[in-house]
Amino acid sequence: MKRVISFLLAAAMMTGAFAGCGQSQSSSSSQAAGSTAASAAASENVSGQSVTITTWNEPSKDDALNMYKQAEKATGVKVNVTVIPESDYSSKLGQMVSTKDTSTDIMVVWENDLKNFAEAKGIVSLDSYLQKSTINTKDFIPAVSQLSSGMGATYGLPWCAATEILYYNKDMFKAAGISLPTNNWKYDDFKAAAKKLTKNGVYGCALPNTQTWWAGVGGAGDKIYAPSNGQMVIGSGATSFIKDCKVMVDAKEMPAPSSDTTDLFAAGKAAMAWQGSWNIGTYADKLKFDWDIASLPTNKVKYNTLHTGFYTINANSKKQTAAWKVIEYLMSEEGQTINSKASGNPSALKTIANKGAWKVEAAKKVTNWDAITDSLNSGIFGYTCLPSGVTNNAVSKFNSSLLGEITPADAVKQASDYAAETIGY
């Protein structure tokens, strides 16, 4: 789920391509297109047709875990898969939208592109399809409806929903005589444990990474992302969390920012780490110590950022009905279960997620699987909806503050000013 995006290039291209596209105009237009196609979907026989889906993930080589192969069997629609590397993904899709490319029918769109593509009339509203579908939209985790509501329509359906969680070294906790973290752990519990666990060259907690910095900022009370206007909203929460991290860095309870990319938790050099749920599969049975997971500790609010991509229909596709049939299968219980088994990520549909197909079999150290479903329910589509150049710049400012180069308040101001200038408000 990691994404390295050349945002500035993409932003420059997108700004030119999408200038003058008002949201209300684009929404009504694409909704009308979706409505027409949805009506056709009810009666059109699409068996034998072919569609192309564009994504950044290679499909599973095991046909049983290849959801696209299984979609072909279920729908009769041939599914061709185009894979674009993550480093180019956002900019390439931006080019396809701006040039009204017809070579793809389904695009798996990242959170930070969804609003722009909708406003550019590059993707259609799925609401009219959903009205005639077996997909139970009321079963989605709250973050999905909140995002659609903020955008005025449903332009995409999440292919999964990865979360951010706490990883902890169970051996170190037991040796220190500290109660193990639970999904109801408080932020003060976390800070107290980090202090006690710091010894013998081991940090109490690894430094937040570019993703989990935002969980700390959101947990401290900042909204981070406003879906109605696309602005970054940080202030006292970010300032507070930077100050907390600065105290921990100065006390050697947390490492100072550096260019060293060593995973200190996996190396046994940090007792805790805030990371994405996708690391469960990475760690699996490979770590040399007993470990487990928990929900991120709750500060002012319970918060973590959700990570996903959204199935969308290209507004210029000539095969929108067949595209919807494939998406509908991919969002079905069978399609989502295959996806979960292949990726280790839970479904954003609660009923399916609760069945636990996403549990990574090789991660035998994990006992607290409830941390995932608990995090799903408190997850937000937050910083991932903002341009990556903006959020990466902000994290760079936060880290500069930890090094004593600027104050926490200046870090927040400079990050906010850059966001306003880049996004345009």
Side-chain angles (χ1 to χ4, degrees):
M1 300 297 289
K2 294 179 180 177
R3 301 168 187 167
V4 180
I5 307 169
S6 300
F7 165 74
L8 294 178
L9 174 61
M13 298 174 64
M14 298 282 286
T15 300
F18 301 155
C21 294
Q23 182 176 13
S24 59
Q25 181 184 20
S26 63
S27 297
S28 60
S29 176
S30 55
Q31 285 171 352
S35 177
T36 301
S39 298
S43 57
E44 183 178 345
N45 181 6
V46 296
S47 181
Q49 292 189 21
S50 65
V51 298
T52 297
I53 183 168
T54 300
T55 182
W56 69 95
N57 280 329
E58 291 285 350
S60 173
K61 295 180 180 177
D62 181 347
D63 281 1
L65 296 179
N66 185 326
M67 52 194 173
Y68 307 126
K69 291 283 187 185
Q70 299 306 315
E72 289 181 342
K73 292 180 181 178
T75 65
V77 178
K78 171 69 175 174
V79 181
N80 303 307
V81 182
T82 297
V83 177
I84 298 175
E86 277 193 33
S87 57
D88 299 326
Y89 193 71
S90 185
S91 60
K92 290 287 186 185
L93 257 59
Q95 291 177 34
M96 294 168 75
V97 169
S98 63
T99 59
K100 302 185 185 303
D101 187 288
T102 60
S103 66
T104 190
D105 306 288
I106 302 170
M107 296 185 289
V108 187
V109 173
W110 289 346
E111 298 95 309
N112 58 340
D113 287 326
L114 194 64
K115 183 178 177 67
N116 285 338
F117 289 3
E119 292 184 354
K121 307 178 188 177
I123 53 179
V124 302
S125 166
L126 304 180
D127 286 328
S128 52
Y129 287 107
L130 288 167
Q131 290 173 3
K132 305 174 188 298
S133 171
T134 55
I135 300 172
N136 180 10
T137 56
K138 294 181 179 178
D139 194 36
F140 278 119
I141 55 176
V144 176
S145 59
Q146 290 169 7
L147 183 64
S148 295
S149 176
M151 294 180 60
T154 305
Y155 286 98
L157 298 177
W159 74 289
C160 68
T163 68
E164 294 167 349
I165 52 179
L166 174 76
Y167 292 79
Y168 66 92
N169 185 317
K170 191 180 284 186
D171 290 342
M172 290 183 182
F173 269 77
K174 289 181 177 178
I178 302 172
S179 298
L180 300 179
T182 69
N183 299 336
N184 295 317
W185 230 31
K186 302 299 184 186
Y187 186 60
D188 287 343
D189 298 327
F190 159 75
K191 290 195 295 184
K195 186 174 184 179
K196 292 180 179 177
L197 290 162
T198 299
K199 59 179 69 174
N200 302 325
V202 174
Y203 297 104
C205 185
L207 187 71
N209 59 28
T210 54
Q211 294 138 359
T212 51
W213 257 110
W214 299 99
V217 172
D222 282 352
K223 187 174 182 180
I224 298 178
Y225 172 69
S228 59
N229 55 27
Q231 295 184 8
M232 184 170 80
V233 186
I234 61 173
S236 60
T239 303
S240 174
F241 187 61
I242 294 170
K243 288 181 177 177
D244 284 349
C245 290
K246 174 66 172 166
V247 169
M248 295 178 74
V249 167
D250 290 346
K252 309 291 187 189
E253 297 164 9
M254 184 177 282
S258 76
S259 58
D260 187 352
T261 58
T262 301
D263 183 340
L264 295 178
F265 177 74
K269 297 294 185 182
M272 296 182 284
W274 295 17
Q275 298 188 31
S277 57
W278 50 92
N279 273 359
I280 293 175
T282 301
Y283 294 156
D285 60 352
K286 301 171 186 172
L287 302 188
K288 298 178 180 178
F289 51 84
D290 200 6
W291 61 279
D292 209 336
I293 61 174
S295 300
L296 291 180
T298 301
N299 192 353
K300 290 184 178 178
V301 297
K302 196 176 181 75
Y303 189 104
N304 80 96
T305 308
L306 298 175
H307 299 254
T308 189
F310 291 85
Y311 293 127
T312 68
I313 295 179
N314 183 358
N316 297 295
S317 166
K318 306 300 182 187
K319 304 170 185 174
Q320 294 184 3
T321 301
W324 172 250
K325 289 291 185 183
V326 171
I327 291 175
E328 192 172 38
Y329 171 80
L330 294 172
M331 294 304 301
S332 70
E333 180 168 353
E334 182 174 300
Q336 289 284 286
T337 299
I338 293 171
N339 184 357
S340 292
K341 288 181 177 179
S343 69
N345 294 312
S347 172
L349 289 157
K350 291 180 287 187
T351 301
I352 300 174
N354 288 339
K355 294 184 178 180
W358 41 269
K359 296 177 182 177
V360 180
E361 292 183 1
K364 301 185 187 305
K365 303 287 187 182
V366 175
T367 61
N368 183 20
W369 288 108
D370 287 346
I372 301 297
T373 47
D374 182 65
S375 299
L376 274 178
N377 288 325
S378 61
I380 299 291
F381 289 115
Y383 87 92
T384 51
C385 296
L386 292 163
S388 58
V390 167
T391 55
N392 288 342
N393 175 74
V395 170
S396 176
K397 298 299 180 186
F398 300 162
N399 283 331
S400 293
S401 185
L402 299 192
L403 294 171
E405 297 170 352
I406 53 177
T407 68
D410 284 343
V412 173
K413 183 179 187 307
Q414 291 177 22
S416 298
D417 289 347
Y418 183 83
E421 180 181 355
T422 304
I423 297 172
Y425 56 86

